Amino acid sequence: MAARIFVSGYGIVSSLGMNVSENLNALKNEKPRITNPAFLPTNHREMMVGEVKESNESLSKIAGVKFHPTFSRTILLGIIAAREALEMAGIGKAECHNTGLVSGTSVGGMDISERLYKDLLEGKPVSYQESFSGHDCGHSTQLISQHLRLKGYSSTISTACSSAANAIMHAGMLIRSGQMDCMVAGGCDALSLYTLNGFNALKILDTEWCKPFDAARHGLNLGEGAAYLVLESEAYLKKRGGKAFAELTGFGNCNDAFHQTASSPEGHGAFQAMQKALQVAGNPKIDYVNAHGTGTENNDQSESLALKRIFDDKVPPYSSTKAYTGHTLAAAGGIEAVYSLLALREQVIFPNLNFSTSMGLISEPVRALTSARVKTVLSNSFGFGGNCTALTFSGI
Amino acid sequence: MRVYIKASAAITPQDTFPEMAFQKKPDSASVPFLKAMEPDYSQYIDPKLSRRMSRIIKMAIAVSKQALTKSGVSMPDGIIVGTGLGCMADTEKFLKEIISTDEGLLSPTAFIQSTHNTVAGQIALLLGCTGYNFTYTNRGHSFENALMDAMLQLESGSENILLGGCEETTESVLCTFQEIGCAGSPDEAAEMPVLGEGASFFLLSAKGEPGEVFISGMNTFTNVSVGEMKESLDDFLAREGVDVDSIDLLVMGYNNDQSDTWYQTISKTFPDEVPVISFKNISGEYFTSVSYGLHHAALVLQRQSLPDQPLISGTFNGNLNRVLIYNHYNGFHHTFILLSR
């Protein structure tokens, strides 16, 4: 039997709140936090975003970092979420020495570089070092590791909207192969003008609240946040006397190989990712699917057909939680992994908000907070570039 | 475990593609960094498609196709790419449009081609490869992360993996690197690394024939002192079961500065006669330049001869069975890769 991969901690920041308990309260009370932007300096005031309602100054305080105007919001969100995960797991200074970090991000330090690139183009004096040396994605991983004193193997994944799910998968494989005992894995992305204008140019943003899986869906709302899990081998968990909350049992990654941004209409990639994950997990009964469900015409149709095919028409209870948080891009797979773990812990299924009319392809998503016996959850993340990933988590 | 290099190909600022013939001087062209010598892409990519592609994507596709052709594998089980900065040209293009139109009406083309996973995604799309697909972007360890994953995948049952490292350099990238002290200019005598760019791709397999080149191990670490790095080397060699006398060649990331303490320290660990060569005189410096170092070292082992370049030190006695690659990025990211045949 393949070595087991335990989840001993998790942490999260999203528009729903600054930690696990604030997120859980909002989920349970069906309180989405998607509003017009208050901190993102965009002209598109009409857009609806899942924004973390804290300034960078205040996020710096919470993260325990000295505020600096060129310190990316992506890193601040990442530090806060990863620290909560380590605290829950009880990973102390000694253990941090051998603990690694796999972090997914798609924008990295874009929030800073886009502001200062404007100054550069306008001919204002710009320090390249302060402005752009943190542009690359790896910078955020390096700073999160340094602030949390994580000295083990570090890696950064950038596979668009599947980044954090891939980070969790990769960390799981590093543990399963015996290369690492303990890894922090997840993702972080701040809102940026770059992504807001990019998705707007693609005409896939809804200017109202997004309606995942609804026949009248118009697109997605962007969000921001970060979420990380602490993953450990069985031997290491036992050795340090840690407590596991759940187990990462399955993971599957593939490429849709259909189009740079769109998913194949019949969801080949989504199907294959789920198939691989279920196979790795030993084909368990799935009690809840936390769907990718962005609310775009294309994704929700493609994902519905893939769900129908993989579950042979008997699709388990499913929902997209993106109507609560918006699509947090590279962080989404981490945030939704935490929601999947909360579904296991609380024995509930979180509702798919804003749904009213079925697309007529599969059963309707779960529409209200529902108590259920939840033993295994499947979490989907798909992205640009055809990247498709599915994870399964089981209670213990 | 052994990871066999079935085939590899590289585009660099020198004449290395489709086959290596690097006797020429770097082509410094009109830009102050080493610009890649790009081939006529029409035999690798449909011109209708390549017209919209940025240089990093075209370079990566051309070397991927060349590596696949040479290996005889038409469909890899997976594609894993490392790139520190990804699609910079399209990123800058879209940013400029946002700024110049003040968030006005924009064409999404540059945006959709600017995500870091565009390279791996486009290769998958062109090959119709629905297998494993990952992109790593971790500064001076982007390629190493990708190689680590390739090893994991081969160990977990994949038959072969297409692995690559790639980077495109733009004026803004150059300015940033110069200001943070990571780059000089090819014309300067100053002992600063010269920035380059390019793509190096490999077809890796867990199975090999006698005499084929294989990677037996890699070790990466960050933020260490020279002493700690030396200890890491000793640990690495011990773990790999080799001693300093059994290394036939050191392939190092020297770039325009032969007094670099890191490289000198590693050199001094080995007997004086062990030949030392650099690869950055061909690739230039970039986040994933070690991918070219690996291609360079693999070719040396395959061809059983050294390229036409002066040795930094040592003497070559014709023996080429085991090569150690050592590279550091800005003194922060360090990498050892052990290659054998």
Side-chain angles (χ1 to χ4, degrees):
Chain A
M1 199 181 116
R4 299 170 79 182
I5 307 153
F6 288 100
V7 183
S8 58
Y10 41 96
I12 183 169
V13 179
S14 78
S15 66
L16 299 191
M18 300 302 296
N19 51 45
V20 171
S21 89
E22 288 180 21
N23 272 268
L24 181 62
N25 281 339
L27 286 169
K28 281 190 159 175
N29 294 312
E30 302 186 19
K31 293 242 186 296
R33 300 269 167 76
I34 298 192
T35 61
N36 296 123
F39 295 97
L40 182 72
T42 174
N43 295 337
H44 296 296
R45 314 304 306 167
E46 76 287 2
M47 286 300 174
M48 301 298 282
V49 289
E51 188 178 50
V52 174
K53 295 293 180 227
E54 300 283 353
S55 66
N56 285 11
E57 285 88 334
S58 127
L59 286 176
S60 299
K61 265 193 208 118
I62 299 167
V65 173
K66 191 170 178 295
F67 170 72
H68 194 282
T70 61
F71 198 94
S72 170
R73 189 171 171 90
T74 303
I75 309 170
L76 296 171
L77 297 171
I79 291 173
I80 297 167
R83 177 176 290 142
E84 185 184 23
L86 286 166
E87 280 169 5
M88 188 193 285
I91 300 282
K93 203 180 161 193
E95 286 104 354
C96 277
H97 196 78
N98 295 313
T99 300
L101 173 66
V102 188
S103 184
T105 180
S106 68
V107 297
M110 180 60 89
D111 57 323
I112 304 302
S113 37
E114 67 189 11
R115 195 176 79 218
L116 293 149
Y117 197 65
K118 184 167 192 276
D119 290 351
L120 183 74
L121 292 182
E122 287 168 354
K124 293 179 191 159
V126 163
S127 154
Y128 278 91
Q129 170 154 17
E130 285 209 343
S131 313
F132 308 122
S133 60
H135 172 81
D136 66 295
C137 292
H139 182 245
S140 55
T141 311
Q142 187 179 318
L143 266 86
I144 295 167
S145 295
Q146 282 171 357
H147 278 278
L148 300 177
R149 301 180 205 291
L150 298 171
K151 300 274 176 67
Y153 182 74
S154 106
S155 186
T156 311
I157 289 163
S158 197
T159 51
C161 313
S162 62
S163 302
N166 278 333
I168 292 167
M169 172 172 178
H170 182 55
M173 290 194 81
L174 284 167
I175 290 169
R176 182 159 282 182
S177 74
Q179 307 246 14
M180 290 297 297
D181 292 324
C182 183
M183 294 296 291
V184 177
C188 52
D189 253 350
L191 280 168
S192 68
L193 298 185
Y194 193 84
T195 41
L196 187 77
N197 282 278
F199 282 90
N200 193 35
L202 280 164
K203 301 188 172 33
I204 50 173
L205 290 180
D206 194 336
T207 48
E208 308 289 321
W209 279 358
C210 67
K211 299 182 274 292
F213 295 108
D214 192 280
R217 66 198 180 282
H218 286 303
L220 58 87
N221 304 138
L222 281 180
E224 66 181 350
Y228 291 89
L229 314 184
V230 175
L231 301 175
E232 297 184 55
S233 68
E234 189 165 17
Y236 189 72
L237 189 74
K238 210 170 162 186
K239 187 176 132 197
R240 70 170 192 91
K243 180 176 177 293
F245 298 101
E247 205 175 330
L248 171 64
T249 49
F251 33 75
N253 166 294
C254 71
N255 197 290
D256 197 30
F258 173 74
H259 183 269
Q260 172 59 17
T261 53
S263 304
S264 57
E266 50 300 297
H268 282 310
F271 172 80
Q272 207 189 323
M274 287 190 277
Q275 191 182 42
K276 283 187 187 176
L278 292 172
Q279 207 174 3
V280 171
N283 292 306
K285 175 179 172 286
I286 297 297
D287 304 305
Y288 166 51
V289 180
N290 186 301
H292 187 56
T294 56
T296 63
E297 182 70 37
N298 175 235
N299 176 80
D300 295 2
Q301 174 188 317
S302 156
E303 189 173 8
S304 293
L305 292 176
L307 284 167
K308 186 181 162 101
R309 190 173 152 211
I310 196 94
F311 292 109
D312 212 10
D313 284 336
K314 292 181 277 292
V315 179
Y318 72 97
S319 67
S320 161
T321 45
K322 288 196 172 65
Y324 279 97
T325 58
H327 187 355
T328 56
L329 303 181
I335 285 177
E336 288 155 32
V338 170
Y339 294 168
S340 300
L341 295 166
L342 289 174
L344 289 172
R345 187 180 96 185
E346 304 290 316
Q347 294 290 292
V348 292
I349 293 172
F350 302 115
N352 189 108
L353 305 177
N354 310 337
F355 177 90
S356 57
T357 316
S358 168
M359 292 158 57
L361 298 172
I362 51 171
S363 54
E364 291 184 358
V366 174
R367 295 168 66 173
L369 186 76
T370 308
S371 292
R373 188 184 167 280
V374 186
K375 176 85 178 79
T376 301
V377 182
L378 172 70
S379 176
N380 284 340
S381 297
F382 313 130
F384 278 13
N387 281 122
C388 298
T389 302
L391 303 173
T392 64
F393 295 98
S394 292
I396 42 176
Chain B
M1 82 176 276
R2 292 179 172 190
V3 170
Y4 289 88
I5 299 179
K6 294 297 194 182
S8 57
I11 290 178
T12 70
Q14 292 197 43
D15 191 4
T16 56
F17 186 81
E19 294 298 334
M20 191 176 187
F22 47 84
Q23 295 83 359
K24 295 179 190 168
K25 284 211 154 184
D27 169 24
S28 53
S30 56
V31 286
F33 59 88
L34 300 174
K35 203 168 186 312
M37 277 178 72
E38 294 177 85
D40 168 12
Y41 288 113
S42 61
Q43 56 175 308
Y44 303 99
I45 317 166
D46 179 349
K48 285 199 293 292
L49 294 173
S50 66
R51 214 170 43 231
R52 282 181 160 189
M53 288 176 178
S54 59
R55 296 190 309 123
I56 187 172
I57 299 169
K58 287 189 283 195
M59 290 192 283
I61 290 173
V63 294
S64 299
K65 289 206 165 172
Q66 176 71 1
L68 288 170
T69 305
K70 279 165 78 176
S71 69
V73 171
S74 54
M75 188 62 77
D77 284 352
I79 300 168
I80 307 177
V81 171
T83 176
L85 286 165
C87 304
M88 274 313 286
D90 275 323
T91 302
E92 287 186 37
K93 190 174 168 198
F94 193 65
L95 257 185
K96 269 184 196 149
E97 285 171 17
I98 294 174
I99 292 162
S100 64
T101 62
D102 201 13
E103 299 186 71
L105 276 176
L106 301 167
S107 153
T109 311
F111 175 68
I112 66 184
Q113 296 202 125
S114 71
T115 56
H116 291 77
N117 60 337
T118 307
V119 176
Q122 286 288 318
I123 297 170
L125 194 55
L126 285 181
L127 296 178
C129 177
T130 58
Y132 188 82
N133 194 287
F134 255 70
T135 302
Y136 290 89
T137 60
N138 202 22
R139 320 208 101 185
H141 275 160
S142 303
F143 178 74
E144 289 84 339
N145 283 173
L147 174 55
M148 167 68 118
D149 192 12
M151 290 167 147
L152 263 184
Q153 297 311 314
L154 292 169
E155 195 183 280
S156 325
S158 289
E159 264 188 36
N160 52 51
I161 292 287
L162 179 65
L163 165 77
C166 50
E167 224 71 63
E168 65 184 359
T169 295
T170 66
E171 294 288 341
S172 315
V173 170
L174 177 76
C175 290
T176 306
F177 281 77
Q178 283 178 331
E179 202 175 296
I180 62 182
C182 290
S185 146
D187 310 325
E188 279 172 30
E191 289 172 341
M192 294 291 286
V194 178
L195 220 56
E197 58 175 8
S200 302
F201 275 64
F202 306 81
L203 198 284
L204 302 179
S205 170
K207 294 193 192 100
E209 311 290 330
E212 273 191 333
V213 174
F214 61 88
I215 301 167
S216 46
M218 173 176 65
N219 193 20
T220 60
F221 40 95
T222 53
N223 202 12
V224 291
S225 66
V226 174
E228 288 167 325
M229 195 248 331
K230 169 79 178 63
E231 274 172 39
S232 297
L233 171 66
D234 296 341
D235 291 348
F236 176 64
L237 293 177
R239 203 180 70 201
E240 295 299 324
V242 296
D243 56 48
V244 291
D245 295 323
S246 60
I247 299 292
D248 302 317
L249 175 70
L250 294 169
V251 175
M252 306 232 260
Y254 276 110
N255 186 344
N256 222 17
D257 178 12
Q258 300 209 350
S259 62
D260 182 301
T261 317
W262 300 101
Y263 296 119
Q264 286 205 336
T265 304
I266 294 299
S267 285
K268 283 180 192 146
T269 306
F270 293 86
D272 289 346
E273 61 272 20
V274 175
V276 178
I277 59 171
S278 161
F279 58 88
K280 284 183 189 159
N281 54 328
I282 294 161
S283 64
E285 177 72 295
Y286 48 93
F287 278 135
T288 50
S289 57
V290 74
S291 63
Y292 178 72
L294 180 61
H295 170 71
H296 195 87
L299 282 187
V300 164
L301 275 173
Q302 282 157 4
R303 294 183 183 181
Q304 286 290 296
S305 68
L306 291 187
D308 188 13
Q309 67 181 84
L311 297 178
I312 289 169
S313 63
T315 42
F316 179 52
N317 62 9
N319 228 4
L320 277 173
N321 290 311
R322 204 169 266 145
V323 175
L324 180 71
I325 302 171
Y326 167 63
N327 185 52
H328 75 77
Y329 188 85
N330 203 20
F332 188 86
H333 296 88
H334 302 265
T335 305
F336 291 115
I337 301 174
L338 187 63
L339 268 183
S340 309
R341 71 181 276 273

